[in-house]
Amino acid sequence: MPRIALATYDPGTAPSKDPDLAGLVAELRAAGADAEARFWDDPDADWAGYDLVLIRSTWDYTWRPAEFLAWVDRVDALTLLLNPADVVHWNADKHYLGELASAGVPTVPTHYLPPGAEPDLPTGHEYVIKPASGAGARYAARYTPEERESAVRQLAHMHAEGLTAMVQPYMRAVDQHGERALHFFGGRLLHASRKGAVLVSGTPFDAAKTAHPKLEKWQPTAAELDVAERALAAVPGGAERLLYGRVDLIDGEDGQPCVLELELIEPHLFLDLHPESRPRIARLIIEAAQGS
């Protein structure tokens, strides 16, 4: 019986924001695994005692990335960690978008402004500013060229916190066609979802946002599947090293899908929307643990 830990975050006195965690633990146990959820920063956790530590919903890691990545390296040295530590390091910084673009994968055009950089912002179109290490639309906002003063204030705030900012054109097609999330598990498409636009014009960068508005099931097109598979194949070491991955797509100015983000650390699986995927996920997790 494989011992499996699902690494999550500590919500304190509030309910967990991961609606899939309890059901996935139950599914793993029903399939014959000794499975439990553990807080990733639990000092008493014996990570070496598990056959597999699966990163699931460590959703506070972007607030303390150095601590999280040190934990990733420590656990990776003790047991099987999925996804692997080097993939987690690579995916934790969205400079990977530039690497995907260099590999010929269609991506949202992105330039980066590290602390100390001049506020080089677009003057002819609407754009988005967000951190190069972030999740859940934290510190993300959209601006028109006329809102430069507000955008510069956001940059100053982020730079004061040591954050590198990403600047991307706002792809207006998202207002009509939404954002598509293609989930892969065990090297194959698991399911896909579509959500509405997250960033509402005029919303302050530090305001709370709904990360997955108007979520619905989606049947991906051939073009979307092609871009998603090309993105995963461009991951250092190849897609075969990944147990799971989510590719977030948006339509570019040419109407074709391009990568907005590649989620290889702790993607929300949306199992409340796709409960039929739970048994397959449990089987693949157990197979990975047994293979260790």
Side-chain angles (χ1 to χ4, degrees), residues 26-167:
E27 191 76 37
L28 285 165
R29 290 174 176 172
D34 179 6
E36 62 180 345
R38 296 298 300 261
F39 302 145
W40 71 266
D41 54 356
D42 182 352
D44 298 322
D46 177 19
W47 302 111
Y50 297 101
D51 299 295
L52 167 63
V53 175
L54 185 76
I55 303 175
R56 273 305 317 123
S57 46
T58 55
W59 290 340
D60 58 349
Y61 88 90
T62 60
W63 291 102
R64 37 194 179 131
E67 181 182 348
F68 176 73
L69 293 175
W71 171 83
V72 164
D73 290 340
R74 186 168 68 254
V75 174
D76 190 64
L78 294 172
T79 187
L80 176 63
L81 178 74
L82 293 175
N83 281 326
D86 62 316
V87 171
V88 173
H89 277 267
W90 179 80
N91 195 231
D93 186 327
K94 293 184 177 65
H95 278 84
Y96 69 75
L97 288 171
E99 296 184 35
L100 294 182
S102 295
V105 179
T107 63
V108 175
T110 306
H111 76 273
Y112 303 87
L113 297 176
E118 292 296 318
D120 179 16
L121 298 172
T123 59
H125 57 79
E126 199 169 10
Y127 55 93
V128 171
I129 296 176
K130 58 186 176 183
S133 178
R138 178 172 71 91
Y139 282 9
R142 56 187 274 200
Y143 296 99
T144 64
E146 293 73 28
E147 296 172 308
R148 175 182 170 83
E149 186 176 332
S150 295
V152 170
R153 284 198 297 269
Q154 175 179 346
L155 289 175
H157 184 97
M158 292 173 61
H159 288 168
E161 292 191 13
L163 299 173
T164 292
M166 300 166 53
V167 182

Side-chain angles (χ1 to χ4, degrees), residues 8-9 15-22 56-57 59 268:
T8 186
Y9 78 107
S16 172
K17 294 181 180 179
D18 184 355
D20 300 330
L21 192 63
R56 273 305 317 123
S57 46
W59 290 340
H268 196 310

